[in-house]
């Protein structure tokens, strides 16, 4: 079974609107971390946001927020007020296990977001 | 602060040739990683080094070797390149700062094996 599932291969959003990118995960470990990375066409991987499994609040970083629904095992990325520069591939990733003893990130297959002017 | 640097940026090899990809970080991170990204896919872990002096296999280690030269540097070696190793290779590092264990990535090396 896939550990990280991103079901939207591609999405469009109008500039200045909000968009949600879906991510579901599968783990039996009570301690885990969820990450979102952005990969623009230039190819680098840019860290956006992190959510720990024990975090009580949903993570937010500027225009990025993570809609964490633990019971549903989903960690959707919400981008508010989309900008043309948000056009990129977005990857969800999971670390299984406590952060001080687990080092592997498992990545989803990504969602390509295109922001329309 | 350069973050994570990788050399070379691009490389073309013939089947059977060997090469070493270099990675260095200046963030004093303990852990370093090598990933590969194939077209249309996410990243897959090849090898990692949790701390200086240790290395461990990831998801796809076959055909690769690594060396953690010191705390800053982590190299990836292809002893006998195969077309199936055509990919983009990313190095990353993480240091367990308070709060998260976020991995920070280098710019990548695009490798083509003919």
């Amino acid at each position: 079974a896939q550990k990280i599932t991103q079901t939207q291969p591609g999405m469009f959003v109008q500039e200045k609107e909000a968009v949600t990118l879906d991510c579901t995960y599968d783990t039996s470990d009570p301690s885990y971390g969820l990450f979102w990375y952005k990969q623009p066409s230039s190819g680098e991987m840019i860290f956006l946001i992190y959510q720990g499994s024990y975090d009580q609040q949903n993570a937010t970083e500027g225009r990025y927020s993570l809609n964490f629904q633990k019971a549903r095992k989903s960690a959707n990325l919400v981008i508010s007020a989309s900008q043309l520069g948000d056009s990129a591939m977005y990857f969800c990733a999971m670390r299984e296990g406590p952060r001080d003893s687990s080092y592997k990130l498992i990545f989803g297959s990504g969602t390509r977001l295109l922001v329309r002017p | 602060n350069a973050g994570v640097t990788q050399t070379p940026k691009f490389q073309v090899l013939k089947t059977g040739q060997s090469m070493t990809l270099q990675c260095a970080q200046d963030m004093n991170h303990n852990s370093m990683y090598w990933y590969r990204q194939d077209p249309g896919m996410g990243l897959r872990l090849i090898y990692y080094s949790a701390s200086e002096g240790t290395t461990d296999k990831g998801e796809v280690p076959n055909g690769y070797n690594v060396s953690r030269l010191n705390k800053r540097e982590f190299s990836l070696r292809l002893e006998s390149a195969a077309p199936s190793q055509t990919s983009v290779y990313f190095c990353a590092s993480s240091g367990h700062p308070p709060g998260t264990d976020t991995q920070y990535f280098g710019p990548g090396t695009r490798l083509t094996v003919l």
Side-chain angles (χ1 to χ4, degrees), chain A residues 75-111:
Chain A
N76 299 338
L77 177 70
V78 181
I79 305 174
S80 63
S82 297
Q83 301 172 355
L84 295 179
D86 293 335
S87 294
M89 281 288 285
Y90 288 82
F91 291 98
C92 181
M94 176 174 67
R95 180 210 73 237
E96 285 187 294
R99 71 172 182 88
D100 57 354
S101 61
S102 176
Y103 303 92
K104 302 178 186 179
L105 279 186
I106 304 163
F107 282 81
S109 56
T111 295

Side-chain angles (χ1 to χ4, degrees), chain A residues 35 37 39 42-47 50 89 91 95 98-110, chain B residues 31 33 35 37 40-43 45 48 50 57-58 90 96-107:
Chain A
F35 301 78
Y37 285 87
Q39 187 175 42
S42 51
E44 71 269 32
M45 295 288 288
I46 302 167
F47 165 70
Y50 168 83
M89 281 288 285
F91 291 98
R95 180 210 73 237
R99 71 172 182 88
D100 57 354
S101 61
S102 176
Y103 303 92
K104 302 178 186 179
L105 279 186
I106 304 163
F107 282 81
S109 56
Chain B
S31 305
Y33 313 80
Y35 292 88
Q37 184 181 27
M41 296 180 66
L43 279 66
L45 184 64
Y48 67 100
K57 295 178 180 179
F90 287 97
H96 301 313
T100 75
D101 56 346
T102 301
Q103 292 186 20
Y104 294 93
F105 286 80

Side-chain angles (χ1 to χ4, degrees), chain B residues 2-18:
Chain B
V4 181
T5 57
Q6 293 181 234
T7 55
K9 286 188 168 50
F10 301 93
Q11 183 71 48
V12 178
L13 294 177
K14 294 181 179 177
T15 296
Q17 287 185 319
S18 63

